[in-house]
Amino acid sequence: MTQDDLFGGPVEGGAPAPDSGPEPVPGPDAPLAARMRPRTLDELKGQRALLGPGGSLRGRIESGRISSMILWGPPGCGKTTLARLLAGYVDAAFEPISAVTAGVAAIREVTARARTRLETSGRRTIVFCDEIHRFNKGQQDAFLPHVESGTITLIGATTENPSFEVVRPLLSRAPIVLLEPLDAADVREILTDALHDAERGLGGQGLEADEDALATLAAAADGDARRALGALEVAAELARTRGGRIDAAAATDALQHRFAVYDKGGEERYTLISALHKSIRGGDADAALYWLARMLEGGEEPLYLARRLVRIASEDVGLAAPQALSITLAAERAYRFLGSPEGELALAEAVVFLAAAPKSNAVYVAFGRARELAQETPGLGVPLHLRNAPTREMKALGYGDGYRYDPDEPGGVAAQSYLPDALVGRRLYAPLERGQEAGVRERLESFRRLREAGAAEEPSP
């Protein structure tokens, strides 16, 4: 289903109108981010593909026809604001519910009010479920009959990948709408508006801001409007004690109060570790060091990173540079010995080595093939000549008969097979001509030729 299919009828309306339970207008003491919350689609920055002129959502919104959806995007990109604006544009009641504090009982109360509202006044209800990924399967399922009957239009918001966190039946009725992080230019515009808006922002305080200060705040926000406005508010407080001008020093000091854009238990963790892994795989040491630093600065457990580096050594570098495994294991031990921050340098060294090393996933691929083959042939017995024979009875059964001790053979390789008869000749491992694995390939081919030559010289029975 495309995003154009999201809108088809359960909620209809026309021009913007206040909802039945309006959010209180933030007072002058409210946080700047709350005071500057966009009131119209034109004030909402970013999301041009969805909400700009000709955007896939804008035309449908302005026509007043929307249906349930899941808004997926990073913090501060406008998910809550967009949901409120949708309710206003279609003259629907807006019922917020948070998955952090609510349960099935709260869902029943909200849907009961929505049913009563629909029956008595014909007015529809948008239920906005923030952090919907925190609801368990049973709680998410509680929405289904009410969405299907049209009692509510559900708009869920999540920073996590809904494909993993939202139940499939709900996703089929509330498709995903992807919201992107704001770019630096959007954040810069938001900061400028807040600085000059006398009604809701800082415009009445006589403050000025240097361009480089605004650029610093915008870049550090990582696409999060709330974070940017919070930092601007702190910078403004500092500027009042320094002559009324927000300069680069005030911006830098304000950013000391910000927290890292990182959730060790959420989608961001797996996004960043994917970037680190793929940068190493692609041989870009600079990018790999950057993603390593991002995760460490965000508070990631260094030993988690060490374990991932050991995995990369086995999976992506393999026998092209077999010392990679020793180096990553040594980095893990060094971190355990030194701790942070000194031990983090050992992780950085391992990252650079892995990025610079020749790569081969041949062992990884071969082991995958071996597992598949083992699952397909669980009943194949070990050939008798490979079986151990510690007792006379086992020897009498033929265990060990015909086994040839390789070190005693010409070339150190005996003319015998090591696979079950049904699998003789099957190749699983295909070494690459990269790094030290080229030597591995040459040795294995040499052993294979010796076995075949020995077998050819044996007299037929």
Short mmCIF file of all heavy atoms in Angstrom, two decimals, residues 187-239:
data_model
loop_
_atom_site.label_atom_id
_atom_site.label_comp_id
_atom_site.label_asym_id
_atom_site.label_seq_id
_atom_site.Cartn_x
_atom_site.Cartn_y
_atom_site.Cartn_z
N VAL A 187 16.36 23.33 10.63
CA VAL A 187 16.57 23.65 12.04
C VAL A 187 17.02 25.10 12.19
O VAL A 187 16.58 25.81 13.10
CB VAL A 187 17.60 22.69 12.67
CG1 VAL A 187 17.88 23.07 14.11
CG2 VAL A 187 17.09 21.26 12.59
N ARG A 188 17.87 25.54 11.29
CA ARG A 188 18.33 26.94 11.32
C ARG A 188 17.15 27.89 11.18
O ARG A 188 17.05 28.91 11.88
CB ARG A 188 19.34 27.15 10.19
CG ARG A 188 19.86 28.56 10.02
CD ARG A 188 20.92 28.88 11.05
NE ARG A 188 21.64 30.09 10.69
CZ ARG A 188 22.74 30.10 9.95
NH1 ARG A 188 23.26 28.97 9.52
NH2 ARG A 188 23.34 31.24 9.67
N GLU A 189 16.21 27.56 10.30
CA GLU A 189 15.03 28.40 10.11
C GLU A 189 14.15 28.41 11.35
O GLU A 189 13.61 29.46 11.74
CB GLU A 189 14.25 27.90 8.89
CG GLU A 189 13.13 28.84 8.45
CD GLU A 189 12.47 28.38 7.16
OE1 GLU A 189 13.02 27.46 6.51
OE2 GLU A 189 11.41 28.94 6.82
N ILE A 190 14.02 27.25 12.00
CA ILE A 190 13.24 27.18 13.24
C ILE A 190 13.87 28.06 14.31
O ILE A 190 13.18 28.78 15.04
CB ILE A 190 13.15 25.71 13.70
CG1 ILE A 190 12.25 24.91 12.76
CG2 ILE A 190 12.63 25.61 15.14
CD1 ILE A 190 12.31 23.41 12.98
N LEU A 191 15.19 28.02 14.42
CA LEU A 191 15.88 28.84 15.42
C LEU A 191 15.71 30.33 15.12
O LEU A 191 15.47 31.13 16.04
CB LEU A 191 17.37 28.48 15.44
CG LEU A 191 17.72 27.07 15.93
CD1 LEU A 191 19.21 26.81 15.76
CD2 LEU A 191 17.29 26.88 17.38
N THR A 192 15.80 30.69 13.86
CA THR A 192 15.64 32.09 13.48
C THR A 192 14.23 32.58 13.79
O THR A 192 14.04 33.70 14.31
CB THR A 192 15.96 32.27 11.99
OG1 THR A 192 17.30 31.83 11.74
CG2 THR A 192 15.82 33.73 11.57
N ASP A 193 13.24 31.76 13.48
CA ASP A 193 11.85 32.14 13.79
C ASP A 193 11.67 32.33 15.29
O ASP A 193 11.02 33.30 15.73
CB ASP A 193 10.89 31.05 13.29
CG ASP A 193 10.79 31.00 11.78
OD1 ASP A 193 11.26 31.96 11.12
OD2 ASP A 193 10.27 30.00 11.26
N ALA A 194 12.20 31.42 16.08
CA ALA A 194 12.05 31.53 17.53
C ALA A 194 12.76 32.75 18.07
O ALA A 194 12.28 33.40 19.02
CB ALA A 194 12.59 30.27 18.20
N LEU A 195 13.88 33.10 17.47
CA LEU A 195 14.66 34.25 17.94
C LEU A 195 13.93 35.56 17.70
O LEU A 195 14.02 36.50 18.49
CB LEU A 195 16.02 34.25 17.24
CG LEU A 195 17.05 35.26 17.73
CD1 LEU A 195 17.45 34.94 19.17
CD2 LEU A 195 18.27 35.26 16.82
N HIS A 196 13.13 35.63 16.61
CA HIS A 196 12.49 36.89 16.23
C HIS A 196 11.00 36.95 16.54
O HIS A 196 10.39 38.01 16.41
CB HIS A 196 12.72 37.16 14.73
CG HIS A 196 14.16 37.34 14.38
ND1 HIS A 196 14.83 36.50 13.50
CD2 HIS A 196 15.08 38.24 14.80
CE1 HIS A 196 16.08 36.91 13.39
NE2 HIS A 196 16.25 37.95 14.16
N ASP A 197 10.38 35.82 16.92
CA ASP A 197 8.94 35.81 17.19
C ASP A 197 8.68 36.44 18.55
O ASP A 197 9.04 35.90 19.60
CB ASP A 197 8.43 34.36 17.19
CG ASP A 197 6.91 34.26 17.24
OD1 ASP A 197 6.29 35.02 18.00
OD2 ASP A 197 6.36 33.41 16.52
N ALA A 198 8.03 37.62 18.52
CA ALA A 198 7.78 38.35 19.77
C ALA A 198 6.61 37.78 20.55
O ALA A 198 6.52 37.95 21.77
CB ALA A 198 7.54 39.83 19.46
N GLU A 199 5.68 37.09 19.85
CA GLU A 199 4.50 36.56 20.52
C GLU A 199 4.80 35.29 21.30
O GLU A 199 4.41 35.15 22.47
CB GLU A 199 3.42 36.26 19.48
CG GLU A 199 2.16 35.64 20.08
CD GLU A 199 1.19 35.16 19.02
OE1 GLU A 199 1.44 35.37 17.82
OE2 GLU A 199 0.17 34.55 19.41
N ARG A 200 5.51 34.36 20.68
CA ARG A 200 5.75 33.06 21.31
C ARG A 200 7.22 32.78 21.60
O ARG A 200 7.53 31.92 22.42
CB ARG A 200 5.21 31.94 20.42
CG ARG A 200 3.72 32.02 20.18
CD ARG A 200 3.26 30.85 19.31
NE ARG A 200 3.78 30.93 17.95
CZ ARG A 200 3.94 29.90 17.13
NH1 ARG A 200 3.63 28.68 17.56
NH2 ARG A 200 4.38 30.06 15.91
N GLY A 201 8.11 33.49 20.93
CA GLY A 201 9.52 33.18 21.03
C GLY A 201 10.30 34.16 21.89
O GLY A 201 9.83 34.64 22.92
N LEU A 202 11.51 34.50 21.41
CA LEU A 202 12.43 35.35 22.16
C LEU A 202 12.49 36.76 21.59
O LEU A 202 13.35 37.55 22.00
CB LEU A 202 13.84 34.72 22.13
CG LEU A 202 13.94 33.27 22.61
CD1 LEU A 202 15.36 32.74 22.40
CD2 LEU A 202 13.54 33.16 24.08
N GLY A 203 11.58 37.06 20.66
CA GLY A 203 11.67 38.33 19.95
C GLY A 203 11.55 39.57 20.80
O GLY A 203 12.04 40.63 20.42
N GLY A 204 10.89 39.46 21.94
CA GLY A 204 10.73 40.65 22.77
C GLY A 204 11.83 40.85 23.78
O GLY A 204 11.72 41.73 24.65
N GLN A 205 12.89 40.09 23.70
CA GLN A 205 13.93 40.15 24.72
C GLN A 205 15.18 40.89 24.29
O GLN A 205 16.16 40.97 25.03
CB GLN A 205 14.29 38.72 25.16
CG GLN A 205 13.11 37.96 25.74
CD GLN A 205 13.46 36.56 26.16
OE1 GLN A 205 14.64 36.23 26.35
NE2 GLN A 205 12.46 35.71 26.34
N GLY A 206 15.16 41.44 23.07
CA GLY A 206 16.29 42.23 22.61
C GLY A 206 17.56 41.44 22.36
O GLY A 206 18.66 41.98 22.46
N LEU A 207 17.41 40.17 22.05
CA LEU A 207 18.58 39.32 21.83
C LEU A 207 18.98 39.31 20.36
O LEU A 207 18.13 39.39 19.47
CB LEU A 207 18.29 37.89 22.28
CG LEU A 207 18.05 37.66 23.77
CD1 LEU A 207 17.51 36.26 24.00
CD2 LEU A 207 19.35 37.86 24.55
N GLU A 208 20.26 39.22 20.12
CA GLU A 208 20.79 39.01 18.78
C GLU A 208 21.64 37.75 18.79
O GLU A 208 22.16 37.35 19.83
CB GLU A 208 21.63 40.21 18.34
CG GLU A 208 20.85 41.52 18.21
CD GLU A 208 19.86 41.49 17.06
OE1 GLU A 208 20.08 40.70 16.11
OE2 GLU A 208 18.87 42.24 17.10
N ALA A 209 21.77 37.15 17.62
CA ALA A 209 22.57 35.92 17.53
C ALA A 209 23.50 35.99 16.34
O ALA A 209 23.11 36.42 15.25
CB ALA A 209 21.67 34.70 17.40
N ASP A 210 24.74 35.59 16.55
CA ASP A 210 25.70 35.50 15.45
C ASP A 210 25.33 34.34 14.54
O ASP A 210 24.79 33.32 14.99
CB ASP A 210 27.12 35.30 15.99
CG ASP A 210 27.63 36.51 16.76
OD1 ASP A 210 27.06 37.60 16.57
OD2 ASP A 210 28.57 36.35 17.56
N GLU A 211 25.65 34.49 13.27
CA GLU A 211 25.33 33.44 12.31
C GLU A 211 26.04 32.13 12.66
O GLU A 211 25.47 31.04 12.53
CB GLU A 211 25.71 33.89 10.90
CG GLU A 211 24.82 34.99 10.33
CD GLU A 211 23.37 34.54 10.24
OE1 GLU A 211 23.12 33.43 9.73
OE2 GLU A 211 22.49 35.29 10.68
N ASP A 212 27.30 32.23 13.08
CA ASP A 212 28.01 30.99 13.40
C ASP A 212 27.43 30.32 14.64
O ASP A 212 27.49 29.08 14.77
CB ASP A 212 29.50 31.24 13.55
CG ASP A 212 29.82 32.27 14.63
OD1 ASP A 212 28.90 32.97 15.08
OD2 ASP A 212 31.00 32.36 15.02
N ALA A 213 26.85 31.10 15.54
CA ALA A 213 26.22 30.51 16.72
C ALA A 213 24.98 29.71 16.32
O ALA A 213 24.77 28.58 16.79
CB ALA A 213 25.85 31.59 17.72
N LEU A 214 24.16 30.28 15.44
CA LEU A 214 22.97 29.57 14.98
C LEU A 214 23.37 28.32 14.19
O LEU A 214 22.73 27.27 14.30
CB LEU A 214 22.11 30.48 14.13
CG LEU A 214 21.42 31.65 14.85
CD1 LEU A 214 20.61 32.49 13.87
CD2 LEU A 214 20.52 31.13 15.98
N ALA A 215 24.43 28.44 13.39
CA ALA A 215 24.89 27.29 12.61
C ALA A 215 25.37 26.17 13.54
O ALA A 215 25.11 24.99 13.29
CB ALA A 215 26.01 27.71 11.66
N THR A 216 26.05 26.55 14.62
CA THR A 216 26.52 25.56 15.58
C THR A 216 25.36 24.84 16.24
O THR A 216 25.35 23.61 16.37
CB THR A 216 27.40 26.23 16.64
OG1 THR A 216 28.55 26.80 16.02
CG2 THR A 216 27.84 25.24 17.71
N LEU A 217 24.36 25.61 16.67
CA LEU A 217 23.19 25.01 17.32
C LEU A 217 22.43 24.11 16.35
O LEU A 217 21.99 23.02 16.73
CB LEU A 217 22.27 26.10 17.84
CG LEU A 217 22.80 26.95 18.99
CD1 LEU A 217 21.84 28.10 19.29
CD2 LEU A 217 23.02 26.10 20.24
N ALA A 218 22.29 24.54 15.11
CA ALA A 218 21.54 23.75 14.13
C ALA A 218 22.26 22.45 13.81
O ALA A 218 21.64 21.38 13.72
CB ALA A 218 21.33 24.56 12.85
N ALA A 219 23.58 22.52 13.66
CA ALA A 219 24.34 21.31 13.32
C ALA A 219 24.32 20.30 14.47
O ALA A 219 24.25 19.09 14.25
CB ALA A 219 25.78 21.68 12.97
N ALA A 220 24.37 20.81 15.70
CA ALA A 220 24.43 19.92 16.86
C ALA A 220 23.09 19.29 17.19
O ALA A 220 23.03 18.34 17.97
CB ALA A 220 24.94 20.69 18.08
N ALA A 221 22.01 19.80 16.61
CA ALA A 221 20.67 19.29 16.95
C ALA A 221 20.39 17.93 16.36
O ALA A 221 19.46 17.24 16.78
CB ALA A 221 19.61 20.28 16.47
N ASP A 222 21.16 17.52 15.35
CA ASP A 222 20.96 16.21 14.72
C ASP A 222 19.53 16.03 14.24
O ASP A 222 18.95 14.95 14.37
CB ASP A 222 21.33 15.08 15.68
CG ASP A 222 22.82 15.04 15.98
OD1 ASP A 222 23.61 15.05 15.03
OD2 ASP A 222 23.17 15.02 17.17
N GLY A 223 18.95 17.09 13.68
CA GLY A 223 17.61 16.99 13.10
C GLY A 223 16.48 17.03 14.09
O GLY A 223 15.33 16.82 13.73
N ASP A 224 16.76 17.34 15.35
CA ASP A 224 15.74 17.35 16.41
C ASP A 224 15.40 18.80 16.75
O ASP A 224 16.21 19.51 17.37
CB ASP A 224 16.29 16.62 17.63
CG ASP A 224 15.24 16.42 18.73
OD1 ASP A 224 14.32 17.25 18.81
OD2 ASP A 224 15.37 15.47 19.51
N ALA A 225 14.20 19.24 16.37
CA ALA A 225 13.80 20.63 16.61
C ALA A 225 13.70 20.93 18.10
O ALA A 225 14.07 22.02 18.55
CB ALA A 225 12.45 20.91 15.93
N ARG A 226 13.19 19.98 18.89
CA ARG A 226 13.10 20.22 20.34
C ARG A 226 14.47 20.45 20.95
O ARG A 226 14.65 21.33 21.78
CB ARG A 226 12.41 19.03 21.02
CG ARG A 226 10.91 18.99 20.87
CD ARG A 226 10.29 18.01 21.86
NE ARG A 226 10.84 16.67 21.73
CZ ARG A 226 10.33 15.76 20.91
NH1 ARG A 226 9.29 16.03 20.16
NH2 ARG A 226 10.87 14.55 20.86
N ARG A 227 15.43 19.64 20.54
CA ARG A 227 16.77 19.79 21.08
C ARG A 227 17.36 21.15 20.70
O ARG A 227 18.00 21.81 21.51
CB ARG A 227 17.66 18.66 20.57
CG ARG A 227 19.10 18.80 21.02
CD ARG A 227 19.94 17.59 20.67
NE ARG A 227 19.59 16.49 21.55
CZ ARG A 227 18.93 15.42 21.15
NH1 ARG A 227 18.52 15.34 19.90
NH2 ARG A 227 18.66 14.45 21.99
N ALA A 228 17.16 21.53 19.46
CA ALA A 228 17.70 22.81 18.99
C ALA A 228 17.10 23.97 19.77
O ALA A 228 17.81 24.89 20.20
CB ALA A 228 17.43 22.97 17.49
N LEU A 229 15.78 23.96 19.96
CA LEU A 229 15.12 25.06 20.68
C LEU A 229 15.51 25.05 22.15
O LEU A 229 15.64 26.11 22.77
CB LEU A 229 13.61 24.95 20.51
CG LEU A 229 13.10 25.26 19.10
CD1 LEU A 229 11.64 24.85 18.95
CD2 LEU A 229 13.27 26.75 18.78
N GLY A 230 15.70 23.88 22.72
CA GLY A 230 16.16 23.81 24.11
C GLY A 230 17.54 24.40 24.26
O GLY A 230 17.81 25.14 25.23
N ALA A 231 18.43 24.10 23.31
CA ALA A 231 19.78 24.66 23.37
C ALA A 231 19.75 26.17 23.15
O ALA A 231 20.49 26.92 23.79
CB ALA A 231 20.66 23.99 22.32
N LEU A 232 18.88 26.64 22.24
CA LEU A 232 18.75 28.08 22.01
C LEU A 232 18.28 28.78 23.28
O LEU A 232 18.76 29.87 23.62
CB LEU A 232 17.79 28.35 20.86
CG LEU A 232 17.49 29.82 20.57
CD1 LEU A 232 18.76 30.55 20.12
CD2 LEU A 232 16.40 29.95 19.51
N GLU A 233 17.35 28.17 23.99
CA GLU A 233 16.83 28.78 25.22
C GLU A 233 17.93 28.90 26.27
O GLU A 233 18.04 29.92 26.96
CB GLU A 233 15.67 27.94 25.74
CG GLU A 233 14.83 28.64 26.77
CD GLU A 233 13.49 27.97 26.99
OE1 GLU A 233 13.37 26.76 26.68
OE2 GLU A 233 12.57 28.64 27.48
N VAL A 234 18.76 27.87 26.38
CA VAL A 234 19.88 27.94 27.33
C VAL A 234 20.88 28.99 26.88
O VAL A 234 21.39 29.78 27.70
CB VAL A 234 20.56 26.56 27.46
CG1 VAL A 234 21.83 26.65 28.31
CG2 VAL A 234 19.61 25.54 28.05
N ALA A 235 21.17 29.04 25.57
CA ALA A 235 22.11 30.04 25.05
C ALA A 235 21.60 31.45 25.30
O ALA A 235 22.38 32.36 25.60
CB ALA A 235 22.34 29.81 23.56
N ALA A 236 20.28 31.64 25.19
CA ALA A 236 19.70 32.97 25.44
C ALA A 236 19.88 33.37 26.90
O ALA A 236 20.19 34.53 27.21
CB ALA A 236 18.22 32.96 25.08
N GLU A 237 19.70 32.41 27.81
CA GLU A 237 19.90 32.72 29.23
C GLU A 237 21.35 33.11 29.50
O GLU A 237 21.64 34.04 30.27
CB GLU A 237 19.51 31.51 30.07
CG GLU A 237 18.02 31.19 30.04
CD GLU A 237 17.69 29.90 30.78
OE1 GLU A 237 18.63 29.29 31.34
OE2 GLU A 237 16.51 29.51 30.79
N LEU A 238 22.28 32.40 28.87
CA LEU A 238 23.70 32.74 29.03
C LEU A 238 24.00 34.12 28.43
O LEU A 238 24.77 34.89 29.01
CB LEU A 238 24.57 31.67 28.36
CG LEU A 238 24.52 30.27 28.96
CD1 LEU A 238 25.28 29.29 28.08
CD2 LEU A 238 25.09 30.27 30.37
N ALA A 239 23.38 34.40 27.28
CA ALA A 239 23.65 35.67 26.60
C ALA A 239 23.18 36.86 27.42
O ALA A 239 23.78 37.95 27.36
CB ALA A 239 22.98 35.68 25.22
#
